[in-house]
Amino acid sequence: MLSKQLQQVHPNVLAKVLKQKTIYQNKEIVVINKPYGLPVHGGPGIKNCISDVLPILAKMLENMKAEPLHLCHRLDKETTGVMVLARSKEVADSIRLLFKTRQVEKIYWAISLGDPDPAEGVVEIPIVEKEVQSHQSHYKMTLAPNYRLSPEDGKVVKIRKNRNAESAVTRYRLLASSSACSLLELQPITGVKHQIRVHLAYGLGCPILGDHKYSHWSKLAPQKLPEITLKRLKLEQSKARHLPLHLHAHRLSLPLGEQINLVCKPPLFFQKTLKKLELDITKD
């Protein structure tokens, strides 16, 4: 509902919402807690997006003569959490370079279906975009491993690299598990499109709660949830398609002269889900 409302409001109202969601600012950057369902960039059928209201937001934060703010990185439309905006093009360029050269530490939280085995580790499998042939053809990111099991003797053999695949590395750690779900802490070392979602769903077999795109490979269908999860969420399987994606950019460390640590609390729906599923986190 909220993301639908954000699509319908006047750009000034959207800028005001983002102003309220400002968690940190100094003379170089402004940091917001990105709301759910709000695209960063415009596109077909998108009326409101973050990049369009950056000039208005800058004026609201400083004064009428303020230069527009600049995007430094992107988050998926459904992802919430820490998002850095720069007050000048020079600062934006230097922050983009920090992201590109992997000097920014990013920590995400996700609620996933099932427990990863082992409970902590690194997924290092290249990712490639592929067309899925089904009754509705569509594109998805998927794994393009460099190894496979040989059908003859079950040994692991190296295979030829997919030319179009990008190398992708994600660290993960289990923080809590209950009700057939887990709360995971994730650190993407690389920044490939939908990387965390693909590594969790296809690499670990633990799709993110509410990730209807990556819960099945060959069809576009709502995620199928275990009985106990439905019961705790007080949800019918037929209504599962309304479940939002539970992926949140929780923390970001920026080496800008000094180390700036930025932390965002998960959105209310995420916190409520944690409670309902009894995923207790005692740490941070």
Side-chain angles (χ1 to χ4, degrees), residues 188-218:
I189 309 293
T190 51
V192 181
K193 180 181 167 187
H194 296 172
Q195 171 181 323
I196 291 177
R197 296 165 66 179
V198 173
H199 273 172
L200 286 185
Y202 303 148
L204 291 168
C206 298
I208 296 175
L209 184 66
D211 195 347
H212 308 293
K213 179 165 186 161
Y214 290 108
S215 288
H216 315 274
W217 168 246
S218 56

Side-chain angles (χ1 to χ4, degrees), residues 56-88:
I56 310 169
L57 179 61
K59 291 186 165 116
M60 283 183 180
L61 289 170
E62 288 188 82
N63 57 46
M64 291 316 284
K65 292 192 169 64
E67 291 289 306
L69 290 160
H70 299 262
L71 292 167
C72 301
H73 61 120
R74 50 178 307 160
L75 289 176
D76 286 351
K77 177 182 158 192
E78 288 90 3
T79 307
T80 54
V82 186
M83 189 162 183
V84 182
L85 306 166
R87 293 195 196 265
S88 70

Side-chain angles (χ1 to χ4, degrees), residues 100-120:
K100 206 175 165 182
T101 51
R102 301 179 192 172
Q103 293 179 65
V104 180
E105 186 184 289
K106 299 170 284 186
I107 299 289
Y108 286 75
W109 278 5
I111 299 176
S112 73
L113 293 181
D115 296 345
D117 183 19
E120 191 173 329

Side-chain angles (χ1 to χ4, degrees), residues 109-112 175-179 181-184 209 232-233 246 248 250 265-284:
W109 278 5
I111 299 176
S112 73
L175 296 179
S177 74
S178 163
S179 325
C181 291
S182 301
L183 173 66
L184 303 177
L209 184 66
R232 291 267 167 86
L233 292 174
H246 287 68
H248 174 70
H250 175 57
K265 272 206 333 225
L268 209 54
F269 77 84
F270 197 113
Q271 295 177 42
K272 283 182 175 163
T273 302
L274 286 175
K275 249 200 196 89
K276 286 179 187 164
L277 296 173
E278 297 175 7
L279 287 166
D280 300 322
I281 23 158
T282 40
K283 302 186 290 294
D284 28 82

Side-chain angles (χ1 to χ4, degrees), residues 108-135:
Y108 286 75
W109 278 5
I111 299 176
S112 73
L113 293 181
D115 296 345
D117 183 19
E120 191 173 329
V122 177
V123 182
E124 188 173 348
I125 310 173
I127 289 177
V128 69
E129 190 161 26
K130 272 193 178 165
E131 187 174 4
V132 181
Q133 302 295 342
S134 67
H135 61 287

